[in-house]
Amino acid sequence: MRATELLAPTLREAPADAEVVSHRLLLRAGFIRRVAAGVYNYLPLAVRVIKKIEQIIREEMDRQGGQELLMPILQPAELWQESGRWDVYGPELFRLKDRHDRDFALGPTHEEIITTLVRGEVNSYKQLPLLLYQIQNKYRDERRPRFGLMRGREFIMKDLYSFDRDEEGLQISYLKMHEAYTRIFQRCGLRFRPVEADSGAIGGSETHEFMVLAESGEASVLFCESGACDYAANVERAAQVSPPEKVKDNLKNIAEKETPDCRTIEEVSQFLGIAAQDIIKTLLYETEAEAVAVLVRGDRDVNEIKLLNTLGCLRVNLAGEETIRKVTGASRGFSGPVGLKGIKIIADLEVASIINAAAGANKDNIHWINVNPGRDFSIDIITDVRMVEDGEPCPCCGQKLKEARGIEVGQIFKLGIKYSKLLGATYLDEGGKVKPVIMGCYGIGVTRTMAAAIEQNNDQDGIIWPAAIAPFHAVIIPVNTKDAGQTALAEAIYARLAAAGLETILDDRAERAGVKFKDADLIGCPLRITVGAKALTERQIEVRVRRTGETTMIPEEKLESAVLELLKEL
RNA sequence: CGGGAUGUAGCGCAGUUUGGCUAGCGCGCCUGCCUUGGGAGCAGGAGGCCGGGGGUUCGAGUCCCUCCAUCCCGACCA
């Protein structure tokens, strides 16, 4: 490709509204342009990267026996009504009407479509297992699209659906995808981790998220520092190690203390001279059905996902001032479990074993001290409802957990029979019995992976593409386009590298060298080949590695092999 | 959806407080000269519904009302 023919409009300054580095660099380097909030044009450089990522995905899906198909973006409402998700999915589902006033949706995912397809075409155990996938645009009307390609309303996703006869088959499919995903992200040159994740309302099935580790990640993950253990989990999921049983002696007498205007744990702790971990934090939550009290140690935070799962409800919200007063009789900041009536009390494991703690008295400006669970109040549910923090012991091996930020680029999920049951996708087993097919779904955000790769690979000058997904392997820069010798040599190199199967940009623009160097750094191809005056006289070609800035002089005749060799390490 | 902010040339911004002639600057773009190893220099030039609509006024980028868009924080979320 010649730079004079390539639409790659670079910008010196990034648009002011681009916050994260991948967004800024994708704009500056001429990969994307915004069309609407969360909707982008992908320019030629971006398309090349996307195609490379897609190709890696295809190869790994096919390796595991996946078959590619293509399903529609435009989907009739009936399918969504049949699965119940027309009502459940909420405002995130793009909805539209056709000229006959019939309802349609733009697919945010394709379970409905594919399950319906399989319902019609698969009848026998002999046709299973099946692994079907597509790479397709997805639409989600995000409340807050942001960070460029990281959280868009239109994005490209690979989604594979597995169909098996039984749980054993699903486990095999699941492991195949786990392996495929590991290979895909490795091949893309990313530093990532599969982590255990919460399966949410869909049920107690197994699920892993593949997280690209980056500071800008929206998700927080905890993983075991010990090399021997590979425990890693989304914080939403990470389990706490059960606290050691404390000997319940030395129980002091419960007593009221005045705590004027002490509403926060910090204030109470300061005022009473009691450590935060010896205070019981009482939070009132409302679900769609009831209000509940949640107790955690003063130095801990409630994990609302765990709470949601414990209660088996659809949503939880912190209760407002009004509800707090109604339930406790006091204002916010003085809630406590002692004497709390008519409300379910859920306590974290650590609270159950706390001794002589402080807690709100359900009276303004009063706290109890020397509160002891069991003796002074009873608990309805004792379970793990708190956030696990950096440095806590690993639930697997006891070593320290470390916290990191991650970008979720893939998720694999055991669906079970949720959709096959709702939509009636069944097969006949060997005994002639009707059974629902067992499903799994497995997604990779293609465009998000591109952004994540930049989050992880950039410097002050621009993007540093891993070679496997770089838009071009190298850029060839004749320093002075007025010098016929230089342009001729650059052209010759361009032709030779193309013949060797390498993808290059020949920067034949009549720009000064500095401009071309800046643009080359910004766009971030792994190698830069500079053809200057010395190249002509010494017949040595300068090859510079984008990531390290290292330059090597290669004898002209060895150029192809040297370039191929360099690329292997990038 | 709640709170905050911003919309002026392709990009980055000034001008708005205190209304006043023809709306500015830097970068980018076009033409010419010059230059050619890290975003050069000189000269000339093109490019604006000042987010939209309504109002106040002799006069609105500037004041008022309204709508829209975008961003940030929060809530929410596969």
Side-chain angles (χ1 to χ4, degrees):
Chain A
M1 190 80 213
R2 288 167 194 275
T4 48
E5 295 167 357
L6 176 68
L7 181 66
T10 55
L11 301 172
R12 288 200 186 190
E13 290 173 283
D17 51 15
E19 197 67 12
V20 297
V21 66
S22 63
H23 189 195
R24 297 172 66 83
L25 289 176
L26 283 166
L27 286 166
R28 279 194 61 206
F31 283 67
I32 61 170
R33 287 293 183 265
R34 197 186 75 94
V35 176
V39 180
Y40 290 88
N41 284 318
Y42 302 109
L43 305 192
L45 288 172
V47 169
R48 294 186 71 97
V49 174
I50 288 167
K51 281 188 170 171
K52 296 215 167 160
I53 296 171
E54 287 178 347
Q55 187 52 32
I56 290 170
I57 292 173
R58 284 198 173 92
E59 287 170 18
E60 297 302 332
M61 290 296 109
D62 294 349
R63 182 200 297 274
Q64 302 295 344
Q67 301 176 61
E68 185 169 3
L69 47 62
L70 200 55
M71 293 178 276
I73 292 165
L74 191 62
Q75 305 179 5
E78 290 84 75
L79 284 180
W80 287 80
Q81 285 156 353
E82 209 177 330
S83 73
R85 288 209 288 183
W86 183 258
D87 299 317
V88 174
Y89 215 95
E92 241 179 63
L93 184 65
F94 270 108
R95 297 159 207 255
L96 65 158
K97 287 180 185 292
D98 71 6
R99 60 166 68 193
H100 305 294
D101 211 36
R102 282 190 283 253
D103 287 311
F104 282 84
L106 298 183
T109 173
H110 283 71
E111 280 88 4
E112 277 79 3
I113 298 271
I114 196 137
T115 309
T116 308
L117 176 73
V118 167
R119 168 175 73 190
E121 310 309 324
V122 172
N123 313 300
S124 159
Y125 71 92
K126 293 174 193 163
Q127 291 168 284
L128 299 174
L130 259 184
L131 300 174
L132 301 172
Y133 75 96
Q134 65 170 347
I135 298 176
Q136 174 68 289
N137 276 4
K138 294 280 190 275
Y139 296 83
R140 294 184 192 176
D141 196 357
E142 292 281 349
R143 274 185 192 197
R144 202 173 146 200
R146 56 184 149 175
F147 303 152
L149 297 190
M150 215 76 103
R151 180 167 289 256
R153 295 195 293 172
E154 176 185 83
F155 53 97
I156 301 171
M157 189 166 164
K158 183 284 307 180
D159 47 327
L160 181 142
Y161 304 87
S162 67
F163 300 88
D164 283 283
R165 299 159 62 177
D166 48 31
E167 285 293 332
E168 291 72 46
L170 173 59
Q171 179 63 15
I172 292 167
S173 296
Y174 191 83
L175 290 177
K176 280 182 173 178
M177 285 303 116
H178 194 289
E179 187 193 331
Y181 277 37
T182 301
R183 292 180 60 99
I184 287 164
F185 296 120
Q186 263 166 8
R187 285 182 62 185
C188 286
L190 299 171
R191 296 184 298 285
F192 69 99
R193 279 197 94 111
V195 306
E196 289 179 19
D198 179 71
S199 53
I202 299 178
S205 306
E206 194 174 356
T207 178
H208 283 85
E209 292 167 337
F210 284 74
M211 297 283 190
V212 166
L213 302 177
E215 270 311 304
S216 59
E218 291 187 270
S220 191
V221 301
L222 288 160
F223 58 90
C224 184
E225 276 190 307
S226 117
C229 173
D230 61 357
Y231 181 83
N234 192 311
V235 277
E236 294 176 348
R237 161 88 182 182
Q240 66 171 303
V241 173
S242 297
E245 274 303 314
K246 282 192 195 158
V247 187
K248 296 245 176 178
D249 55 6
N250 266 332
L251 299 190
K252 297 182 188 162
N253 290 333
I254 186 166
E256 277 190 0
K257 285 268 181 184
E258 287 211 19
T259 49
D261 276 333
C262 296
R263 289 170 189 278
T264 65
I265 292 295
E266 199 183 335
E267 286 161 0
V268 174
S269 167
Q270 286 264 316
F271 188 82
L272 294 176
I274 293 174
Q277 60 178 49
D278 292 323
I279 300 174
I280 297 172
K281 179 154 66 178
T282 305
L283 296 165
L284 295 182
Y285 276 89
E286 288 176 298
T287 74
E288 70 274 12
E290 58 181 339
V292 297
V294 181
L295 314 183
V296 294
R297 242 170 53 180
D299 57 334
R300 305 297 196 188
D301 290 313
V302 172
N303 180 328
E304 294 184 2
I305 303 286
K306 289 180 182 173
L307 179 60
L308 203 66
N309 291 339
T310 299
L311 294 170
C313 58
L314 291 175
R315 57 166 197 279
V316 295
N317 293 101
L318 268 175
E321 192 81 39
E322 204 177 307
T323 309
I324 292 174
R325 185 162 287 283
K326 210 166 77 189
V327 172
T328 68
S331 55
R332 191 173 52 81
F334 300 99
S335 308
V338 181
L340 204 55
K341 293 258 158 47
I343 186 170
K344 200 182 279 175
I345 295 179
I346 296 145
D348 184 67
L349 299 172
E350 286 179 337
V351 170
S353 63
I354 205 165
I355 296 171
N356 297 330
N362 300 322
K363 288 181 230 169
D364 281 11
N365 302 320
I366 309 272
H367 277 77
W368 289 107
I369 59 164
N370 300 331
V371 171
N372 287 287
R375 186 190 73 180
D376 301 320
F377 64 95
S378 57
I379 299 167
D380 295 297
I381 302 173
I382 299 174
T383 185
D384 175 7
V385 282
R386 70 170 177 89
M387 289 286 191
V388 173
E389 293 162 25
D390 186 76
E392 286 195 46
C394 168
C396 199
C397 71
Q399 296 290 310
K400 270 190 181 175
L401 287 176
K402 197 167 167 51
E403 187 163 7
R405 307 292 296 175
I407 300 163
E408 185 197 333
V409 289
Q411 181 164 22
I412 59 178
F413 205 106
K414 289 186 180 177
L415 285 172
I417 58 172
K418 178 183 162 92
Y419 293 97
S420 49
K421 218 170 177 183
L422 282 168
L423 298 163
T426 58
Y427 71 97
L428 291 177
D429 72 5
E430 287 107 316
K433 249 182 91 183
V434 177
K435 288 187 172 167
V437 290
I438 314 283
M439 291 174 57
C441 70
Y442 315 84
I444 292 179
V446 175
T447 37
R448 187 186 273 188
T449 298
M450 173 162 73
I454 297 172
E455 291 294 329
Q456 224 174 44
N457 299 284
N458 69 81
D459 62 16
Q460 287 201 322
D461 295 317
I463 305 170
I464 305 170
W465 289 109
I469 60 173
F472 290 91
H473 297 122
V475 53
I476 303 164
I477 298 183
V479 169
N480 185 347
T481 44
K482 292 250 174 77
D483 183 318
Q486 285 182 29
T487 52
L489 180 53
E491 289 278 355
I493 289 170
Y494 178 53
R496 276 174 54 188
L497 292 180
L502 289 157
E503 301 161 23
T504 64
I505 307 177
L506 175 63
D507 196 343
D508 54 347
R509 295 175 301 168
E511 292 284 356
R512 294 162 54 86
V515 172
K516 298 197 229 184
F517 291 153
K518 287 289 185 191
D519 276 347
D521 286 349
L522 191 54
I523 290 168
C525 298
L527 297 175
R528 187 184 86 194
I529 295 164
T530 313
V531 181
K534 265 187 280 178
L536 284 174
T537 52
E538 297 171 17
R539 310 314 285 181
Q540 297 257 323
I541 310 299
E542 176 187 318
V543 179
R544 182 175 189 268
V545 175
R546 171 67 180 86
R547 188 178 293 277
T548 60
E550 203 179 327
T551 60
T552 34
M553 301 304 293
I554 312 279
E556 203 187 313
E557 66 280 5
K558 288 188 184 155
L559 187 62
E560 290 96 327
S561 56
V563 165
L564 285 166
E565 199 56 39
L566 276 169
L567 280 173
K568 271 191 208 159
E569 298 156 20
L570 301 170

